[in-house]
Amino acid sequence: MDTILIFERLDRLERLLTAHKEVLTFEETCDYTGISRSYLYKLTSAGNIPHSKPNGKLIFFEKKKLNDWLLQNGLLSPSYIENNNLADTSKNKSS
């Protein structure tokens, strides 16, 4: 079997295993979010990302809190806003 194919399969398996975990390690969080190690260190040291350090050394991230953090400050597209405004307008007219 080709070495590249083996590495690709291993990578897929690792991603599948991470998908079912509720708590991620530092390295898993980097892979999950696409955030670089150095930037994640900056975020944790500044307290800008939810994390825990149960023994004062290793850093862990709860996936649910991480997802909430990643999706904060969401922006709506102009077409979404326009469609919702049109739907609201038609509801008000029918009332």
Side-chain angles (χ1 to χ4, degrees):
M1 194 177 247
D2 186 35
T3 306
I4 295 173
L5 183 60
I6 292 172
F7 283 125
E8 287 174 356
R9 286 185 175 182
L10 279 173
D11 188 47
R12 269 186 282 166
L13 285 172
E14 286 177 338
R15 280 188 265 128
L16 283 172
L17 289 173
T18 302
H20 296 300
K21 291 179 73 175
E22 292 182 33
V23 177
L24 303 175
T25 65
F26 187 87
E27 293 297 326
E28 290 168 338
T29 301
C30 289
D31 292 339
Y32 181 71
T33 61
I35 296 173
S36 70
R37 290 175 49 94
S38 61
Y39 186 55
L40 190 56
Y41 274 122
K42 288 178 186 177
L43 290 170
T44 56
S45 66
N48 292 334
I49 188 169
H51 66 282
S52 61
K53 293 170 81 172
N55 294 323
K57 186 174 182 178
L58 297 176
I59 301 172
F60 295 96
F61 301 84
E62 186 179 342
K63 192 186 275 188
K64 183 187 178 328
K65 290 180 182 177
L66 191 58
N67 287 336
D68 291 342
W69 181 81
L70 288 168
L71 296 174
Q72 71 185 353
N73 299 328
L75 300 174
L76 301 177
S77 69
S79 62
Y80 179 85
I81 293 169
E82 183 178 328
N83 288 338
N84 280 345
N85 286 341
L86 290 174
D88 289 343
T89 304
S90 64
K91 284 181 188 176
N92 290 338
K93 286 182 181 179
S94 64
S95 297

